[in-house]
């Protein structure tokens, strides 16, 4: 690599790590904890690449992007952020950042992206647009996640916001499909136009489709749970889509079921399937992104406090139970549970007993079985979930890096449960797992397994 990199992050460790890595790669590095200093360097003409955090002591890195673009057209900016939400990814895309990476980031991956950015800068191919970003007022979506699957979803959402393509959003009930549709609309060029969610009943009658189009104008029209529509309603949609007015609305649809399988079974029209499936967004179930459960729970605690319901926090034991629970109702069930706990908890700290009471008679941990019942082997259960994961991508392949993602999803809960079972004793845990103690330490770090009171690094 060749060039000068400006690094802005208020975390000294991150500044040190990036400075050392970039210097070893052949770059000159200027590092600062101040956004003001970064902007001064930019205005002075320093730097061929900027790597910036979002939340800085003296400002917001995302809000500085339009100014950087005005001062230095063509200067690429890689945004890194611990705010692992869909909003960060969308705002970074809106401001035309060269790239966005959530924290904790993979250093080799960041170095590869930095090398590509510097090469493009050298060829003068990076020309960011000046885009003033504004967040719709009152937006507080529970689309939070640092897992690879959610970050890939956020990036895809950011890319399709203004693409002139229909969007199919697939996922189980409660995963946030409607919220993603709303986010696409709220951050698109159509944000000032109507957002209309249509049910099958809205298409009934001779004037049903025309009435819908009159309501939506050139905004966004979402067909909710389109897999449940009967053949007559599907035909009405096909005819409506073939005669859209100008300007045409953005078309989106949500579904809990595999429309490809329905089509093969003769229960979903092929012509409608291909009209709706321009881009497919697969939203993973909460049990498929266990690492995000604590983040979501904290997000909902904060929202409840802002709503005046009181300030609460989870004890280590209660959070372990929340994380281990199966959450068949996904994010919606988790939010409702957290809000109920905020109201019913007797003290500021929510106890494990209070969580168990709210969850009622449902099992605290989903048994290792699937549709086949108690006798299903673990391997069969894993295979079933993997097939479901592939099916949710609607005929497209999942994002690259699947092998490492799947291993991480399996390793993390295994190590956490083993640590719990051994009272946080890493020597015993390593022996139980049959791995070297140093290997266990490395995995705890690499998988970002949180050390609780019962899991002390030894």
């Amino acid at each position: 690599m060749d060039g000068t990199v400006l690094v802005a992050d208020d975390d000294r460790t991150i500044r040190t790590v990036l400075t050392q890595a970039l210097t070893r790669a052949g770059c000159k590095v200027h590092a600062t904890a101040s956004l003001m200093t970064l902007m001064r360097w930019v205005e002075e003409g320093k730097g061929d690449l900027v790597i910036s955090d979002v939340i800085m002591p003296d400002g917001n890195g995302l809000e500085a992007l339009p100014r950087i673009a005005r001062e230095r057209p063509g200067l690429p900016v890689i945004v890194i952020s611990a705010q692992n939400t869909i909003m960060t990814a969308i705002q970074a895309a809106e401001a035309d950042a060269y790239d966005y990476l959530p924290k904790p980031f993979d250093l080799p991956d960041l170095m590869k992206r930095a090398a590509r950015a510097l090469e493009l800068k050298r060829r003068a191919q990076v020309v960011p647009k000046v885009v003033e970003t504004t967040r719709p007022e009152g937006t507080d979506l529970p689309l939070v996640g640092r897992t690879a699957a959610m970050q890939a979803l956020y990036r895809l959402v950011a890319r399709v916001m203004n693409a002139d393509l229909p969007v199919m959003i697939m996922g189980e009930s409660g995963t946030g499909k409607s919220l993603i549709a709303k986010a696409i609309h709220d951050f698109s060029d159509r944000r000032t136009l109507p957002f209309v969610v249509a049910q099958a009943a809205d298409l009934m009658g001779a004037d049903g489709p025309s009435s819908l189009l009159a309501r939506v104008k050139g905004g966004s029209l979402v067909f909710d749970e389109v897999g449940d529509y009967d053949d007559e309603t599907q035909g009405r949609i096909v005819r409506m889509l073939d005669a859209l007015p100008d300007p045409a609305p953005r078309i989106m649809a949500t579904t809990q079921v595999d429309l490809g399988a329905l089509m093969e079974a003769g229960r979903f029209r092929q012509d409608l399937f291909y009209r709706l499936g321009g881009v497919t967004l697969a939203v993973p179930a909460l049990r498929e992104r266990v690492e995000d459960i604590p983040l979501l729970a904290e997000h909902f605690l904060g929202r409840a406090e802002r709503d005046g319901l009181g300030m609460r926090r989870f004890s280590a034991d209660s959070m372990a139970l929340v994380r281990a629970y199966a959450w068949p109702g996904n994010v919606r069930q988790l939010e409702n549970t957290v809000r109920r706990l905020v109201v019913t908890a007797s003290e500021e700290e929510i106890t494990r007993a209070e969580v168990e009471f709210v969850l009622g008679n449902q099992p605290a941990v989903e048994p290792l079985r699937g549709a086949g019942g108690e006798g299903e082997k673990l391997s069969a259960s894993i295979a079933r979930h993997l097939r479901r994961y592939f099916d949710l991508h609607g005929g497209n392949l999942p994002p690259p890096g699947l092998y490492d993602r799947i291993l991480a999803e399996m390793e993390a809960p295994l190590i956490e449960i083993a640590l719990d079972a051994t009272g946080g004793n890493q020597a015993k845990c390593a022996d139980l797992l049959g791995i070297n103690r140093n290997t266990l330490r490395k995995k705890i770090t690499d998988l970002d397994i949180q050390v609780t009171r019962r899991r002390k690094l030894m």
Side-chain angles (χ1 to χ4, degrees):
M1 268 193 284
D2 183 31
T4 300
V5 182
L6 309 181
V7 175
D9 198 298
D10 60 347
D11 187 318
R12 178 181 295 179
T13 301
I14 290 178
R15 294 199 307 271
T16 301
V17 168
L18 289 179
T19 298
Q20 292 175 347
L22 290 164
T23 302
R24 283 197 300 268
C27 295
K28 296 179 181 178
V29 181
H30 297 287
T32 179
S34 166
L35 191 60
M36 185 180 297
T37 302
L38 171 66
M39 293 309 303
R40 177 167 55 79
W41 288 341
V42 169
E43 291 166 4
E44 291 172 354
K46 294 179 180 177
D48 303 299
L49 168 66
V50 173
I51 300 176
S52 177
D53 192 7
V54 173
I55 303 301
M56 303 282 284
D58 56 347
N60 185 297
L62 283 176
E63 294 174 359
L65 287 178
R67 183 179 164 193
I68 292 174
R70 283 193 296 270
E71 295 287 342
R72 297 277 302 281
L75 178 64
V77 180
I78 296 177
V79 174
I80 55 176
S81 174
Q83 292 185 308
N84 303 311
T85 72
I86 193 171
M87 296 308 168
T88 311
I90 288 175
Q91 288 174 316
E94 277 194 327
D96 231 17
Y98 171 77
D99 213 335
Y100 158 72
L101 281 173
K103 292 181 180 178
F105 54 80
D106 179 68
L107 182 59
D109 182 37
L110 176 57
M111 295 296 289
K112 289 177 184 177
R113 294 169 191 256
R116 286 197 296 267
L118 287 169
E119 178 61 19
L120 287 174
K121 173 67 168 59
R122 188 181 65 79
R123 296 178 183 177
Q125 291 178 355
V126 178
V127 185
K129 297 174 289 185
V130 178
V131 181
E132 297 294 344
T133 64
T134 56
R135 174 172 173 163
E137 221 170 299
T139 302
D140 184 21
L141 303 181
L143 294 170
V144 179
R146 66 183 179 191
T147 52
M150 290 304 291
Q151 290 298 323
L153 174 62
Y154 295 165
R155 290 193 184 92
L156 187 52
V157 167
R159 288 200 295 270
V160 305
M161 276 189 308
N162 290 310
D164 191 20
L165 288 169
V167 175
M168 176 66 68
I169 307 172
M170 303 177 63
E172 295 179 8
S173 176
T175 52
K177 301 187 296 296
S178 298
L179 293 176
I180 288 175
K182 190 69 167 65
I184 291 173
H185 172 81
D186 285 347
F187 285 85
S188 73
D189 295 339
R190 304 172 190 261
R191 60 172 68 92
T192 60
L193 298 171
F195 175 81
V196 177
V197 178
Q199 312 289 337
D202 296 318
L203 292 153
M204 294 296 100
D207 61 346
S210 59
S211 176
L212 267 180
L213 292 174
R215 286 167 55 198
V216 73
K217 298 181 172 62
S220 298
L221 177 59
V222 182
F223 296 107
D224 189 43
E225 297 301 340
V226 71
D228 296 337
Y229 293 6
D230 60 27
D231 188 66
E232 180 183 351
T233 306
Q234 292 174 33
R236 288 174 180 268
I237 297 176
V238 170
R239 291 189 291 274
M240 183 177 74
L241 295 181
D242 286 344
L244 289 175
D246 189 22
R250 175 68 176 274
I251 302 298
M252 292 184 273
T254 67
T255 178
Q256 296 183 47
V257 297
D258 184 346
L259 295 185
L262 283 185
M263 183 178 67
E264 291 177 3
R267 293 162 53 198
F268 197 84
R269 294 176 60 124
Q270 187 178 57
D271 51 1
L272 180 56
F273 179 83
Y274 290 113
R275 280 169 173 79
L276 294 177
V279 177
T280 298
L281 304 179
V283 189
L286 195 51
R287 64 180 175 277
E288 295 170 350
R289 54 183 188 110
V290 176
E291 290 178 25
D292 290 335
I293 291 176
L295 292 175
L296 283 162
E298 292 298 327
H299 176 85
F300 294 135
L301 285 178
R303 174 184 284 184
E305 182 180 352
R306 292 192 297 274
D307 290 344
L309 298 180
M311 184 174 69
R312 297 285 187 269
R313 67 178 185 274
F314 285 98
S315 69
D317 280 354
S318 64
M319 179 55 76
L321 179 55
V322 168
R323 180 170 174 144
Y325 183 66
W327 299 111
N330 291 296
V331 178
R332 185 184 298 120
Q333 182 191 9
L334 175 61
E335 179 176 16
N336 291 338
T337 300
V338 171
R339 290 182 74 86
R340 183 175 172 186
L341 284 165
V342 169
V343 172
T344 60
S346 58
E347 303 290 341
E348 183 177 318
E349 185 173 83
I350 299 170
T351 66
R352 183 183 179 95
E354 288 169 330
V355 173
E356 289 174 339
F357 178 78
V358 168
L359 292 178
N361 296 322
Q362 300 179 63
V365 182
E366 184 181 45
L368 292 174
R369 64 175 189 272
E374 296 282 355
E376 184 181 36
K377 293 182 179 179
L378 177 58
S379 60
S381 178
I382 292 172
R384 180 169 52 81
H385 285 293
L386 288 175
R387 279 193 294 271
R388 174 63 177 162
Y389 178 70
F390 273 82
D391 289 344
L392 282 174
H393 286 78
N396 298 317
L397 291 176
L402 178 62
Y403 184 82
D404 287 339
R405 287 203 306 276
I406 295 299
L407 285 185
E409 290 286 348
M410 294 175 63
E411 273 191 311
L414 173 61
I415 291 173
E416 289 183 332
I417 292 169
L419 281 167
D420 278 337
T422 55
N425 187 311
Q426 291 190 15
K428 289 183 179 179
C429 183
D431 185 60
L432 174 65
L433 295 171
I435 61 177
N436 182 275
R437 185 175 174 184
N438 290 332
T439 301
L440 175 62
R441 284 174 179 262
K442 186 175 186 304
K443 288 184 179 294
I444 290 173
T445 301
D446 292 346
L447 296 171
D448 194 30
I449 294 174
Q450 301 301 310
V451 180
T452 69
R453 297 175 198 167
R454 293 189 300 158
R455 297 182 197 150
K456 296 178 181 177
L457 288 172
M458 302 174 66

